[in-house]
Amino acid sequence: MEDYNKIIESLGVKFAKARHIRILQTIKIKNVYDVENTILVLYNGEVKLDGNEEKVEPGDLLFIPGGKAATLTYGSGEPKNISYEEFMTRRESYWETMTDPSTIGQVPNSFGLVAFEAKVFDSVNFFTSLDIPPFFIKAHSKLGSLIYDILKEDCSDEAGRGRVIKNKTEEIVIEIVRHILRNRMFVEQLATNSTYFKDPRLIDIFTYIKNSLPGDLSNKQLANVANVSEDYVGQYFKMLTGINPQDYIEYQRMEAAVTLLRTTKKSIRAIGHEVGYKDTAYFCRRFKMMFGIPAGKMRRRESLMIG
């Protein structure tokens, strides 16, 4: 447990968005994918996770780790099957975002959600590093209250709003970690995770990658950072993390690209270059392959999960 106290202390938590959503028509969206973590609380109606037959009652929550694709059904009855790209193009036809705090939890076919980052040593997405699937949390009053408080603060212009949201988002992260530990979920992944976050050479690699996305991230360079042989660095990285370094690097580059698309007016070409892709066409192909939508649509529309 002490290892996890240290990891929690090292977590940099960043609030992304909060939304109170009314479902306008029943839809099933395939391969929803986002870089942020999302926690959703069902107020009324139905939400289903493909591959999970668990009955979800109002008050239950769904947690989707960043970097994990999920097929989700919103609403009851026979759904309309749509792609993530279709949803992004016509979202107003399927969802209504409500901004009156007095309606939170009081509207038929509605849910609340909060999206956030949680990075260890400001470099590695903690929940992504666990490589765990989306999962439901049965009625959890503390998490439900935290989401309600964030939704309410997000609709207000009270002094200290940002600080309250930040603090409550950090509490959400702690409560999710506690839920996983109390219920002994993902025991093997947790054991691996706690091991590699104690390896300083691996942390050096993570930090170097984060700070050097446009530069040389070859295995040779990573080997120099970790002071291991070039032949061994790929095996070493995969042994500790479960993925090879070049796949991890691509994920980090794409995550940075999403942030730039959402927060700047830089051209797609400039963003591709900034995150390490000299060939804009290749960058666009890889982006569409990873997220299921073109980079331009990610810019024009917020993502599904942080709507």
Side-chain angles (χ1 to χ4, degrees):
M1 197 60 68
E2 184 59 31
D3 289 342
Y4 275 89
N5 283 330
K6 291 177 180 176
I7 288 173
I8 288 170
E9 286 300 317
S10 75
L11 280 176
V13 176
K14 182 180 178 183
F15 169 77
K17 290 271 179 82
R19 289 292 182 266
H20 182 212
I21 301 292
R22 182 164 73 95
I23 302 163
L24 300 178
Q25 62 174 296
T26 303
I27 51 173
K28 182 176 183 176
I29 311 169
K30 297 180 179 178
N31 297 323
V32 177
Y33 186 103
D34 208 345
V35 297
E36 277 114 6
N37 308 287
T38 303
I39 187 160
L40 174 158
V41 59
L42 180 64
Y43 291 131
N44 183 273
E46 294 185 15
V47 172
K48 297 176 184 174
L49 173 65
D50 209 42
N52 190 319
E53 301 304 317
E54 189 172 355
K55 175 70 174 174
V56 183
E57 305 287 350
D60 292 348
L61 302 103
L62 171 63
F63 177 62
I64 305 176
K68 281 293 177 183
T71 296
L72 301 169
T73 301
Y74 296 95
S76 56
E78 190 63 28
K80 177 182 179 181
N81 290 285
I82 63 173
S83 67
Y84 184 28
E85 185 172 356
E86 157 70 6
F87 176 85
M88 296 287 277
T89 303
R90 300 181 61 241
R91 186 175 57 197
E92 295 85 356
S93 301
Y94 306 119
W95 279 7
E96 178 187 4
T97 301
M98 293 172 290
T99 57
D100 180 353
S102 70
T103 66
I104 298 170
Q106 306 300 316
V107 181
N109 298 313
S110 66
F111 62 90
L113 65 83
V114 173
F116 58 90
E117 292 180 356
K119 293 189 174 182
V120 182
F121 307 113
D122 200 31
S123 300
V124 186
N125 284 306
F126 174 70
F127 294 107
T128 304
S129 73
L130 286 176
D131 192 28
I132 57 178
F135 61 89
F136 286 110
I137 302 172
K138 297 304 287 184
H140 189 300
S141 58
K142 179 72 176 290
L143 280 170
S145 294
L146 288 167
I147 293 171
Y148 174 85
D149 290 344
I150 290 173
L151 289 171
K152 191 173 178 181
E153 286 288 336
D154 198 49
C155 292
S156 80
D157 58 359
E158 294 276 355
R161 165 182 171 274
R163 175 60 64 87
V164 171
I165 290 174
K166 178 180 184 295
N167 290 342
K168 290 187 180 293
T169 304
E170 289 179 344
E171 283 192 66
I172 282 177
V173 173
I174 292 169
E175 288 300 322
I176 294 171
V177 174
R178 285 177 173 178
H179 176 82
I180 290 171
L181 294 172
R182 283 177 190 142
N183 291 278
R184 297 192 56 77
M185 301 168 70
F186 318 118
V187 174
E188 186 176 333
Q189 293 96 319
L190 285 165
T192 300
N193 181 282
S194 63
T195 299
Y196 77 67
F197 280 132
K198 289 187 287 189
D199 189 314
R201 294 177 299 176
L202 191 61
I203 300 305
D204 286 346
I205 291 178
F206 286 144
T207 304
Y208 181 79
I209 290 171
K210 174 179 178 283
N211 294 331
S212 310
L213 289 178
D216 178 11
L217 293 177
S218 64
N219 278 8
K220 180 178 181 180
Q221 185 59 34
L222 299 184
N224 290 337
V225 171
N227 197 26
V228 297
S229 73
E230 182 179 351
D231 292 338
Y232 178 64
V233 71
Q235 178 186 342
Y236 162 76
F237 191 94
K238 187 168 184 178
M239 177 178 65
L240 291 176
T241 67
I243 58 174
N244 71 58
Q246 295 309 314
D247 285 344
Y248 174 81
I249 289 164
E250 179 163 57
Y251 178 81
Q252 295 302 307
R253 283 175 163 157
M254 289 300 180
E255 182 185 62
V258 169
T259 299
L260 290 168
L261 284 164
R262 290 175 176 166
T263 60
T264 75
K265 295 182 178 180
K266 294 178 180 179
S267 69
I268 290 173
R269 180 176 181 273
I271 288 171
H273 279 229
E274 189 166 332
V275 300
Y277 292 89
K278 295 183 175 64
D279 183 333
T280 304
Y282 179 72
F283 165 66
C284 290
R285 285 198 304 273
R286 295 301 299 172
F287 191 98
K288 174 78 181 288
M289 187 175 294
M290 181 170 286
F291 296 108
I293 59 170
K297 282 194 175 174
M298 182 69 81
R299 156 160 284 161
R300 289 192 297 271
R301 300 277 183 167
E302 288 288 353
S303 78
L304 167 63
M305 299 317 301
I306 65 173

PDB file of all heavy atoms in Angstrom, residues 20-31:
ATOM      1  N   HIS A  20     -23.352  17.747 -18.195  1.00  0.00           N
ATOM      2  CA  HIS A  20     -24.638  17.141 -17.827  1.00  0.00           C
ATOM      3  C   HIS A  20     -25.389  16.941 -19.139  1.00  0.00           C
ATOM      4  O   HIS A  20     -25.720  17.912 -19.829  1.00  0.00           O
ATOM      5  CB  HIS A  20     -25.399  18.073 -16.875  1.00  0.00           C
ATOM      6  CG  HIS A  20     -26.701  17.515 -16.420  1.00  0.00           C
ATOM      7  ND1 HIS A  20     -27.792  18.310 -16.133  1.00  0.00           N
ATOM      8  CD2 HIS A  20     -27.113  16.236 -16.198  1.00  0.00           C
ATOM      9  CE1 HIS A  20     -28.805  17.556 -15.743  1.00  0.00           C
ATOM     10  NE2 HIS A  20     -28.413  16.299 -15.776  1.00  0.00           N
ATOM     11  N   ILE A  21     -25.639  15.684 -19.508  1.00  0.00           N
ATOM     12  CA  ILE A  21     -26.116  15.340 -20.843  1.00  0.00           C
ATOM     13  C   ILE A  21     -27.502  14.713 -20.786  1.00  0.00           C
ATOM     14  O   ILE A  21     -27.754  13.822 -19.963  1.00  0.00           O
ATOM     15  CB  ILE A  21     -25.151  14.333 -21.526  1.00  0.00           C
ATOM     16  CG1 ILE A  21     -23.740  14.923 -21.646  1.00  0.00           C
ATOM     17  CG2 ILE A  21     -25.691  13.886 -22.882  1.00  0.00           C
ATOM     18  CD1 ILE A  21     -23.617  16.067 -22.605  1.00  0.00           C
ATOM     19  N   ARG A  22     -28.380  15.168 -21.686  1.00  0.00           N
ATOM     20  CA  ARG A  22     -29.648  14.479 -21.900  1.00  0.00           C
ATOM     21  C   ARG A  22     -29.563  13.709 -23.212  1.00  0.00           C
ATOM     22  O   ARG A  22     -29.163  14.277 -24.239  1.00  0.00           O
ATOM     23  CB  ARG A  22     -30.815  15.470 -21.949  1.00  0.00           C
ATOM     24  CG  ARG A  22     -32.180  14.788 -22.130  1.00  0.00           C
ATOM     25  CD  ARG A  22     -33.309  15.740 -21.796  1.00  0.00           C
ATOM     26  NE  ARG A  22     -33.495  16.751 -22.827  1.00  0.00           N
ATOM     27  CZ  ARG A  22     -34.388  16.651 -23.833  1.00  0.00           C
ATOM     28  NH1 ARG A  22     -35.148  15.578 -23.938  1.00  0.00           N
ATOM     29  NH2 ARG A  22     -34.507  17.630 -24.696  1.00  0.00           N
ATOM     30  N   ILE A  23     -29.934  12.436 -23.171  1.00  0.00           N
ATOM     31  CA  ILE A  23     -29.896  11.583 -24.356  1.00  0.00           C
ATOM     32  C   ILE A  23     -31.148  11.851 -25.180  1.00  0.00           C
ATOM     33  O   ILE A  23     -32.271  11.688 -24.702  1.00  0.00           O
ATOM     34  CB  ILE A  23     -29.834  10.093 -23.947  1.00  0.00           C
ATOM     35  CG1 ILE A  23     -28.609   9.830 -23.059  1.00  0.00           C
ATOM     36  CG2 ILE A  23     -29.815   9.199 -25.179  1.00  0.00           C
ATOM     37  CD1 ILE A  23     -28.680   8.523 -22.283  1.00  0.00           C
ATOM     38  N   LEU A  24     -30.962  12.262 -26.435  1.00  0.00           N
ATOM     39  CA  LEU A  24     -32.089  12.619 -27.291  1.00  0.00           C
ATOM     40  C   LEU A  24     -32.633  11.430 -28.075  1.00  0.00           C
ATOM     41  O   LEU A  24     -33.817  11.377 -28.391  1.00  0.00           O
ATOM     42  CB  LEU A  24     -31.691  13.738 -28.258  1.00  0.00           C
ATOM     43  CG  LEU A  24     -31.237  15.048 -27.601  1.00  0.00           C
ATOM     44  CD1 LEU A  24     -30.832  16.060 -28.665  1.00  0.00           C
ATOM     45  CD2 LEU A  24     -32.345  15.622 -26.724  1.00  0.00           C
ATOM     46  N   GLN A  25     -31.764  10.491 -28.440  1.00  0.00           N
ATOM     47  CA  GLN A  25     -32.218   9.269 -29.095  1.00  0.00           C
ATOM     48  C   GLN A  25     -31.239   8.146 -28.798  1.00  0.00           C
ATOM     49  O   GLN A  25     -30.064   8.388 -28.533  1.00  0.00           O
ATOM     50  CB  GLN A  25     -32.404   9.453 -30.596  1.00  0.00           C
ATOM     51  CG  GLN A  25     -31.168   9.828 -31.382  1.00  0.00           C
ATOM     52  CD  GLN A  25     -31.441   9.839 -32.885  1.00  0.00           C
ATOM     53  OE1 GLN A  25     -31.741   8.814 -33.486  1.00  0.00           O
ATOM     54  NE2 GLN A  25     -31.355  11.019 -33.494  1.00  0.00           N
ATOM     55  N   THR A  26     -31.747   6.921 -28.820  1.00  0.00           N
ATOM     56  CA  THR A  26     -30.923   5.772 -28.455  1.00  0.00           C
ATOM     57  C   THR A  26     -29.912   5.491 -29.559  1.00  0.00           C
ATOM     58  O   THR A  26     -30.273   5.320 -30.724  1.00  0.00           O
ATOM     59  CB  THR A  26     -31.806   4.533 -28.217  1.00  0.00           C
ATOM     60  OG1 THR A  26     -32.763   4.843 -27.212  1.00  0.00           O
ATOM     61  CG2 THR A  26     -30.962   3.347 -27.771  1.00  0.00           C
ATOM     62  N   ILE A  27     -28.644   5.469 -29.164  1.00  0.00           N
ATOM     63  CA  ILE A  27     -27.570   5.235 -30.140  1.00  0.00           C
ATOM     64  C   ILE A  27     -26.535   4.267 -29.557  1.00  0.00           C
ATOM     65  O   ILE A  27     -26.344   4.195 -28.349  1.00  0.00           O
ATOM     66  CB  ILE A  27     -26.857   6.552 -30.534  1.00  0.00           C
ATOM     67  CG1 ILE A  27     -26.418   7.343 -29.288  1.00  0.00           C
ATOM     68  CG2 ILE A  27     -27.711   7.386 -31.453  1.00  0.00           C
ATOM     69  CD1 ILE A  27     -25.567   8.561 -29.593  1.00  0.00           C
ATOM     70  N   LYS A  28     -25.900   3.547 -30.455  1.00  0.00           N
ATOM     71  CA  LYS A  28     -24.767   2.693 -30.109  1.00  0.00           C
ATOM     72  C   LYS A  28     -23.568   3.191 -30.897  1.00  0.00           C
ATOM     73  O   LYS A  28     -23.581   3.189 -32.127  1.00  0.00           O
ATOM     74  CB  LYS A  28     -25.060   1.234 -30.448  1.00  0.00           C
ATOM     75  CG  LYS A  28     -23.946   0.273 -30.063  1.00  0.00           C
ATOM     76  CD  LYS A  28     -24.370  -1.168 -30.358  1.00  0.00           C
ATOM     77  CE  LYS A  28     -23.295  -2.154 -29.907  1.00  0.00           C
ATOM     78  NZ  LYS A  28     -23.746  -3.567 -30.115  1.00  0.00           N
ATOM     79  N   ILE A  29     -22.553   3.657 -30.186  1.00  0.00           N
ATOM     80  CA  ILE A  29     -21.385   4.271 -30.817  1.00  0.00           C
ATOM     81  C   ILE A  29     -20.205   3.311 -30.719  1.00  0.00           C
ATOM     82  O   ILE A  29     -19.814   2.902 -29.625  1.00  0.00           O
ATOM     83  CB  ILE A  29     -21.021   5.608 -30.152  1.00  0.00           C
ATOM     84  CG1 ILE A  29     -22.258   6.484 -30.009  1.00  0.00           C
ATOM     85  CG2 ILE A  29     -19.957   6.337 -30.965  1.00  0.00           C
ATOM     86  CD1 ILE A  29     -22.057   7.698 -29.150  1.00  0.00           C
ATOM     87  N   LYS A  30     -19.648   2.974 -31.861  1.00  0.00           N
ATOM     88  CA  LYS A  30     -18.566   1.996 -31.909  1.00  0.00           C
ATOM     89  C   LYS A  30     -17.206   2.662 -31.729  1.00  0.00           C
ATOM     90  O   LYS A  30     -16.947   3.731 -32.275  1.00  0.00           O
ATOM     91  CB  LYS A  30     -18.604   1.225 -33.233  1.00  0.00           C
ATOM     92  CG  LYS A  30     -19.867   0.403 -33.424  1.00  0.00           C
ATOM     93  CD  LYS A  30     -19.844  -0.349 -34.745  1.00  0.00           C
ATOM     94  CE  LYS A  30     -21.106  -1.191 -34.918  1.00  0.00           C
ATOM     95  NZ  LYS A  30     -21.122  -1.886 -36.219  1.00  0.00           N
ATOM     96  N   ASN A  31     -16.361   2.004 -30.957  1.00  0.00           N
ATOM     97  CA  ASN A  31     -14.949   2.372 -30.841  1.00  0.00           C
ATOM     98  C   ASN A  31     -14.722   3.834 -30.441  1.00  0.00           C
ATOM     99  O   ASN A  31     -13.976   4.569 -31.080  1.00  0.00           O
ATOM    100  CB  ASN A  31     -14.206   2.061 -32.140  1.00  0.00           C
ATOM    101  CG  ASN A  31     -14.211   0.584 -32.449  1.00  0.00           C
ATOM    102  OD1 ASN A  31     -14.123  -0.254 -31.555  1.00  0.00           O
ATOM    103  ND2 ASN A  31     -14.345   0.243 -33.724  1.00  0.00           N
TER     104      ASN A  31
END
